Amino acid sequence: MDNIMIVDRVSELKARFLTEVCPKARDQYEAKSFSSIISHLQKIEHECRTGNLTVKRERYGYVARLVAESDPSLLSPDLGGQLIEVEQAYRNL
């Protein structure tokens, strides 16, 4: 995936996440976790739009870790997998 494809995909997944997952937060911990995922997706989107990428060795699997820790009744495995996939594409740039 190139930068533009990642931007498009992040934008789509971010919208899905905001409408499908965020409203289901049951407590402050889940809300903060979901907010962190959105923030990281926005960072990825911004870096890909500007071409100012974080040094490759400093691109961590932050979203992947949070997705793995999320309750599957809140964040479907399908959406979680797509989030991990787009983050991995970003990390491979």
Side-chain angles (χ1 to χ4, degrees), residues 53-61 90-93:
L53 300 175
T54 301
V55 178
K56 191 169 187 167
R57 69 179 180 276
E58 294 178 12
R59 294 185 218 156
Y60 305 110
Y90 158 74
R91 292 178 67 205
N92 289 332
L93 286 177

Side-chain angles (χ1 to χ4, degrees), residues 63-74:
V63 171
R65 184 180 58 82
L66 290 174
V67 165
E69 294 173 357
S70 294
D71 182 343
S73 68
L74 301 176

Side-chain angles (χ1 to χ4, degrees), residues 1 3 9 33 36 38 41 43 46 50 55-56 68 81-82:
M1 246 187 253
N3 289 21
R9 194 76 179 118
S33 176
S36 294
I38 292 297
L41 290 173
K43 177 182 175 268
H46 176 73
T50 63
V55 178
K56 191 169 187 167
Q82 291 178 45

Side-chain angles (χ1 to χ4, degrees), residues 1 10 12 17 19 23 44-45 56 78 93:
M1 246 187 253
V10 165
E12 172 190 322
F17 192 83
T19 58
I44 290 171
E45 185 176 20
K56 191 169 187 167
D78 176 57
L93 286 177

